[in-house]
Short mmCIF file of all heavy atoms in Angstrom, two decimals:
data_model
loop_
_atom_site.label_atom_id
_atom_site.label_comp_id
_atom_site.label_asym_id
_atom_site.label_seq_id
_atom_site.Cartn_x
_atom_site.Cartn_y
_atom_site.Cartn_z
N HIS A 34 -3.17 178.83 -95.19
CA HIS A 34 -2.02 179.57 -94.68
C HIS A 34 -1.00 178.64 -94.07
O HIS A 34 0.16 179.01 -93.95
CB HIS A 34 -2.54 180.62 -93.61
CG HIS A 34 -3.04 181.84 -94.27
ND1 HIS A 34 -2.19 182.97 -94.42
CD2 HIS A 34 -4.21 182.16 -94.85
CE1 HIS A 34 -2.95 183.91 -95.02
NE2 HIS A 34 -4.11 183.44 -95.32
N ARG A 36 -0.45 175.51 -95.36
CA ARG A 36 0.24 174.93 -96.55
C ARG A 36 1.12 175.89 -97.31
O ARG A 36 2.20 175.52 -97.83
CB ARG A 36 -0.70 174.23 -97.43
CG ARG A 36 -1.34 173.02 -96.82
CD ARG A 36 -1.90 172.07 -97.88
NE ARG A 36 -2.63 171.01 -97.32
CZ ARG A 36 -4.00 170.91 -97.27
NH1 ARG A 36 -4.70 171.85 -97.76
NH2 ARG A 36 -4.54 169.83 -96.70
N ASN A 40 4.95 185.35 -96.23
CA ASN A 40 5.93 186.18 -95.48
C ASN A 40 6.86 185.26 -94.61
O ASN A 40 7.23 185.78 -93.54
CB ASN A 40 5.29 187.24 -94.66
CG ASN A 40 4.34 188.07 -95.41
OD1 ASN A 40 4.63 188.57 -96.49
ND2 ASN A 40 3.10 188.23 -95.07
N ALA A 47 16.23 194.05 -90.41
CA ALA A 47 14.97 194.32 -89.64
C ALA A 47 15.26 195.53 -88.67
O ALA A 47 16.28 195.60 -88.09
CB ALA A 47 14.64 193.06 -88.88
N ASP A 71 6.88 205.08 -89.71
CA ASP A 71 5.85 204.59 -88.83
C ASP A 71 4.88 203.65 -89.53
O ASP A 71 3.82 203.33 -89.00
CB ASP A 71 5.04 205.78 -88.22
CG ASP A 71 5.77 206.45 -87.05
OD1 ASP A 71 6.64 205.79 -86.49
OD2 ASP A 71 5.48 207.53 -86.70
N ILE A 73 4.59 199.73 -91.31
CA ILE A 73 5.26 198.34 -91.36
C ILE A 73 5.54 198.13 -92.90
O ILE A 73 4.59 197.72 -93.65
CB ILE A 73 4.34 197.29 -90.89
CG1 ILE A 73 3.70 197.53 -89.51
CG2 ILE A 73 5.08 195.92 -90.85
CD1 ILE A 73 4.54 197.44 -88.29
N ALA A 74 6.65 198.44 -93.32
CA ALA A 74 7.07 198.36 -94.74
C ALA A 74 7.19 196.94 -95.23
O ALA A 74 6.84 196.56 -96.30
CB ALA A 74 8.23 199.17 -95.06
N GLY A 82 6.64 175.62 -84.85
CA GLY A 82 5.49 175.21 -84.04
C GLY A 82 4.44 174.56 -84.82
O GLY A 82 4.66 174.00 -85.93
N ALA A 105 -1.02 198.11 -86.10
CA ALA A 105 -0.40 196.80 -85.87
C ALA A 105 -0.51 196.48 -84.34
O ALA A 105 -0.72 195.33 -83.82
CB ALA A 105 1.00 196.79 -86.30
N VAL A 113 -7.01 187.86 -85.52
CA VAL A 113 -6.17 186.92 -86.25
C VAL A 113 -7.05 185.60 -86.38
O VAL A 113 -7.15 185.07 -87.60
CB VAL A 113 -4.81 186.54 -85.62
CG1 VAL A 113 -4.14 185.41 -86.45
CG2 VAL A 113 -3.97 187.78 -85.53
N HIS A 123 -8.88 174.87 -78.36
CA HIS A 123 -7.56 174.53 -77.70
C HIS A 123 -6.35 174.94 -78.56
O HIS A 123 -5.20 174.74 -78.23
CB HIS A 123 -7.53 173.00 -77.52
CG HIS A 123 -7.43 172.21 -78.76
ND1 HIS A 123 -8.50 171.98 -79.57
CD2 HIS A 123 -6.41 171.58 -79.41
CE1 HIS A 123 -8.10 171.30 -80.68
NE2 HIS A 123 -6.85 170.99 -80.57
N LYS A 140 8.03 196.74 -79.80
CA LYS A 140 8.69 197.28 -78.58
C LYS A 140 10.27 197.27 -78.85
O LYS A 140 10.94 198.15 -78.50
CB LYS A 140 8.41 196.34 -77.39
CG LYS A 140 8.99 196.75 -76.18
CD LYS A 140 8.61 195.98 -75.01
CE LYS A 140 9.16 196.33 -73.67
NZ LYS A 140 10.61 196.20 -73.63
N LYS A 152 5.05 202.37 -70.90
CA LYS A 152 5.25 201.00 -70.66
C LYS A 152 4.04 200.12 -70.45
O LYS A 152 4.13 198.89 -70.74
CB LYS A 152 6.16 200.93 -69.36
CG LYS A 152 7.55 201.36 -69.47
CD LYS A 152 8.54 200.48 -68.68
CE LYS A 152 9.98 200.71 -69.16
NZ LYS A 152 10.49 202.07 -69.05
#
Side-chain angles (χ1 to χ4, degrees):
H34 279 264
R36 291 201 183 104
N40 309 309
D71 281 339
I73 314 281
V113 174
H123 69 286
K140 182 174 181 296
K152 286 216 166 62

